Amino acid sequence: LVTNIRKVQSYVLSSRNINGGLPPRDYMIYVQTGGVQYILQGIDSQTNTVTNLETVKLPQGIAISGIQISAPGQAPQSTSAATVAYASPYGKMYAIGVTGDCATTMVAANLDQTCLLRLSDRQVVVTLLDSKSGTTKTVTMYGVSGTVSIGN
């Protein structure tokens, strides 16, 4: 998961294009609790449509057991699914997933600058569960710094 987050960040910074067109407006990672996979996506900057770039399966016995999103000054909120987007050209991170967000998709959020501001500078924590050992690991994405960390 961490490798693919960094891959998406590098796609944004290198202006990698999709479908032979212009670089996308955003590259995204879609995660869902209970999922054994996640999806790398891009929003086409010309048509404003989402393209699935790659579906990544987690190793056998590993599943996403939790997702939390927190905004500056607010307590983390659990969500069943989240989209973490990195916007071109500088890799600014946005996160959607908490009930009550100003938009349910990045396509909609891109149309409202006020909404985008509310979705920025968030922290997203994805918890992975190993069903065999019962152990968990977390992957944390920090919107302010763009760093990604792994924890217990």
Side-chain angles (χ1 to χ4, degrees):
L1 179 58
V2 171
T3 300
N4 282 304
I5 293 166
R6 290 187 175 135
K7 178 165 64 171
V8 166
Q9 290 172 325
S10 74
Y11 284 173
V12 170
L13 297 175
S14 67
S15 297
R16 182 180 185 270
N17 64 29
I18 57 175
N19 301 331
L22 297 173
R25 171 175 286 167
D26 302 300
Y27 278 101
M28 303 176 296
I29 298 172
Y30 175 78
V31 293
Q32 188 171 9
T33 56
V36 294
Q37 64 186 23
Y38 53 92
I39 304 170
L40 307 182
Q41 302 172 312
I43 296 179
D44 188 295
S45 59
Q46 293 175 315
T47 63
N48 212 28
T49 57
V50 175
T51 299
N52 288 345
L53 303 173
E54 184 178 354
T55 299
V56 181
K57 293 185 183 235
L58 293 168
Q60 186 173 359
I62 307 295
I64 297 168
S65 63
I67 304 166
Q68 288 191 322
I69 298 177
S70 57
Q74 296 180 355
Q77 293 188 10
S78 294
T79 184
S80 61
T83 299
V84 178
Y86 294 93
S88 294
Y90 303 112
K92 177 84 172 149
M93 187 182 111
Y94 301 94
I96 295 176
V98 179
T99 302
D101 274 343
C102 55
T104 57
T105 68
M106 277 306 295
V107 171
N110 281 324
L111 300 174
D112 182 350
Q113 292 299 313
T114 304
C115 179
L116 276 179
L117 184 60
R118 285 184 279 178
L119 299 175
S120 67
D121 300 335
R122 290 182 163 189
Q123 177 177 302
V124 179
V125 179
V126 176
T127 303
L128 301 170
L129 171 66
D130 182 338
S131 61
K132 293 177 185 172
S133 67
T135 59
T136 61
K137 292 280 185 186
T138 60
V139 176
T140 304
M141 295 161 264
Y142 299 91
V144 174
S145 64
T147 59
V148 180
S149 69
I150 301 170
N152 292 332

